[in-house]
């Protein structure tokens, strides 16, 4: 069995100490928690319909949950503030700062999904149902 190596610490060079101080100052600025950037949510369901063949009968529901479609929340300048995909039941939840936004469903199919204006308040989440038109008649 060999002897363990011994490591001895010497004096720290001035350039190393100065560099460490710069890194610490940068991290203090960049790594600090953001204050007053409250994040709020819009959550809901996306449906697509009609999906029934032939005429819709009274009491018949021809809308289905729109699974795995992208949902985007755009800020007032049109930039994407949040995005995600719907789950198997068409549900989504997006978090963004409070304020005025536009909710857009980005469908890979030829489907018309209306955009919705959403104002995220500072105190609660906003529920929303988006009904997309499949164009099937």
């Amino acid at each position: 069995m060999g002897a363990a190596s011994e490591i001895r610490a010497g004096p720290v060079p001035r350039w190393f100490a100065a560099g460490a101080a710069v890194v610490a100052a940068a991290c203090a600025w960049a790594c600090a928690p953001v204050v007053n950037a409250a994040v709020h949510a819009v959550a809901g369901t996306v449906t697509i319909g009609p999906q029934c063949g032939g005429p819709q009968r009274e009491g018949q529901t021809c809308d289905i949950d729109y699974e795995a479609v992208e949902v985007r929340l755009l800020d007032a300048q049109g930039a994407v503030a949040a995005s995600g995909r719907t789950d198997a039941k068409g549900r989504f939840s997006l978090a963004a700062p409070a304020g005025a936004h536009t909710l857009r469903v980005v469908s890979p199919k030829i489907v018309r999904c209306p955009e919705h204006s959403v104002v995220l308040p500072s105190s609660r989440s906003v529920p929303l149902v988006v009904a997309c038109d499949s164009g099937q008649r």
Side-chain angles (χ1 to χ4, degrees), residues 38-92:
V39 175
H40 307 284
V42 58
T45 306
V46 179
T47 61
I48 183 170
Q51 293 294 303
C52 301
Q56 184 174 350
R57 294 175 183 29
E58 188 175 329
Q60 182 181 24
T61 302
C62 290
D63 294 350
I64 61 170
D65 301 326
Y66 203 175
E67 179 182 0
V69 67
E70 185 178 2
V71 180
R72 294 180 185 166
L73 195 59
L74 309 175
D75 65 16
Q77 289 74 36
V80 177
S83 68
R85 292 203 169 274
T86 57
D87 66 10
K89 296 191 181 258
R91 296 177 299 209
F92 68 91

Side-chain angles (χ1 to χ4, degrees), residues 83-109:
S83 68
R85 292 203 169 274
T86 57
D87 66 10
K89 296 191 181 258
R91 296 177 299 209
F92 68 91
S93 180
L94 302 174
H101 296 81
T102 300
L103 186 105
R104 179 181 295 161
V105 175
V106 182
S107 175
K109 301 177 183 179

